[in-house]
Amino acid sequence: MDGQRLNLLKKIMALEFTALELNLYLDTHPNDQRALAEFNEVSQALLLAKKDYEAYYGPLLNYGFSPSHNAWRWVEEPWPWEISF
Amino acid sequence: MEEKQEKSRGITIRPNDDKLEKQSFSYELARAYVPWQRFTKKWDPMEGLTRGTIFPELYKPYKRDKY
Amino acid sequence: MWIYEKKLEYPVRVSSTNPALAKNIITQYGGPDGELAASLRYLTQRYSMPIPQAKAILTDIGTEELAHMEIVAALVYNLIKDASIEQIKRAGLDGYYADHDRALYFVNAVGNPWTATYIQSKGDPIADLYEDMAAEQKARATYEYLIQLSDDPDVTDALRFLREREVVHFQRFGEALNLVQDYMDSKKFF
């Protein structure tokens, strides 16, 4: 897998991990406005990074959450456990 | 003594919820409590991923024993 | 409803084929304090939680544990996929091979299959949250033993990530416990 793809994937992992961490924090601190603002900010950045990735390398999500315009690219390899970072 | 009590109560309040601050519960016997985390700063996304948390105050890495 | 995301939570790499290490790490796939047990424990306990914050945290951590199960699976898969029969025999993985070849299966480090007795669902939210906090500590300890056993720095890197997640989950369950205890008190008096 080429370095550009790996870097983009790693960037998505990092953004999504920040969103996940803020999500768990907000579950027990639902009134923390600052955490909420940061969650929304990183969610937006994550959305853009995913769109960027999917345009080149195919869908990240199944069941209609990612576009698959001209071909059914969901079946394409590699699957996550077949990628070496 | 007064001050100590105030301090110990300080970590049980719900962060960013000033109305509840005065109603914070007192410690009871035969119960466990975890201090509330109060979000102040976070690492940038890549550093957070590398460390396993974005919260510096929750980062408690394992110090490998040497045998 | 769950949807699948075609990526790991954390970038995984292994240095070389190492069935002996895989034999130990597989306990976090199908062992008593492993990620399958963690995920199913939280996802089944959420139904009897009395407050929305507790339902949310059990749902979200239970979901993250599925991603951790996938990370552990990726480690084991890559550690054994190219192992020769000779390497498998030397690693003591021949018994596992006899039943599963190089496939993934839910067993602990000595081959015992996963069992629902690894988890509890008591219906008492206080008892369940205490169990969840203990489960996070047991998983943390297991990751420390695995770090001690690991002779692959790339695998150790992933183990460190997974270990730190147990610390964060413990904090969240503790906060949920504070809220649930608070709620139970308010129900008693008002």
Side-chain angles (χ1 to χ4, degrees), chain A residues 16 27-28 60 74 85, chain C residues 5-6 13 60 165 175:
Chain A
E16 188 168 321
D27 283 351
T28 53
L60 276 169
W74 178 251
F85 280 87
Chain C
E5 190 161 22
K6 207 169 167 183
R13 187 173 59 184
D60 292 338
R165 297 311 296 147
E175 289 164 347

Side-chain angles (χ1 to χ4, degrees), chain A residues 10-11 13-15 17-18 21-22 25 28-29 31-32 34-35 38, chain B residues 15-17 36-40 42 45-46 48-49 52-55:
Chain A
K10 234 177 136 174
K11 183 183 164 191
M13 286 177 177
L15 291 170
F17 181 69
T18 296
E21 277 271 84
L22 290 166
Y25 175 88
T28 53
H29 305 70
N31 300 318
D32 190 324
R34 207 190 122 210
E38 299 220 12
Chain B
N16 302 292
D17 201 342
W36 279 100
Q37 182 192 354
R38 199 184 277 273
F39 174 45
T40 51
K42 64 173 172 50
M46 199 53 86
L49 183 70
T53 182
I54 62 164
F55 303 112

Side-chain angles (χ1 to χ4, degrees), chain C residues 63-164:
Chain C
T63 300
E64 189 188 353
E65 305 293 14
L66 282 177
H68 294 173
M69 192 178 90
E70 190 184 29
I71 291 172
V72 174
L75 290 172
V76 173
Y77 168 78
N78 284 291
L79 286 170
I80 62 177
K81 72 173 166 31
D82 299 322
S84 67
I85 294 293
E86 227 11 83
Q87 284 176 309
I88 283 171
K89 276 191 193 168
R90 245 183 295 136
L93 209 64
D94 42 339
Y96 182 90
Y97 175 85
D99 286 321
H100 309 290
D101 193 337
R102 295 168 187 82
L104 270 287
Y105 191 63
F106 294 106
V107 292
N108 76 350
V110 294
N112 297 126
W114 191 86
T115 155
T117 55
Y118 287 160
I119 68 172
Q120 288 296 328
S121 191
K122 200 67 193 167
D124 179 303
I126 305 285
D128 280 347
L129 285 168
Y130 275 104
E131 193 215 347
D132 301 340
M133 293 167 75
E136 294 295 334
Q137 294 300 337
K138 287 185 279 182
R140 176 192 53 75
T142 305
Y143 280 118
E144 290 175 9
Y145 305 151
L146 290 174
I147 288 167
Q148 291 283 344
L149 290 167
S150 172
D151 53 2
D152 179 331
D154 290 326
V155 172
T156 301
D157 178 69
L159 295 173
R160 286 189 185 283
F161 173 84
L162 292 167
R163 180 197 164 279
E164 176 60 31

Side-chain angles (χ1 to χ4, degrees), chain A residues 51-68:
Chain A
K51 244 179 144 175
D52 202 16
Y53 179 92
E54 288 177 325
Y56 288 99
Y57 307 115
L60 276 169
L61 295 161
N62 58 1
Y63 298 165
F65 286 88
S66 293
S68 208

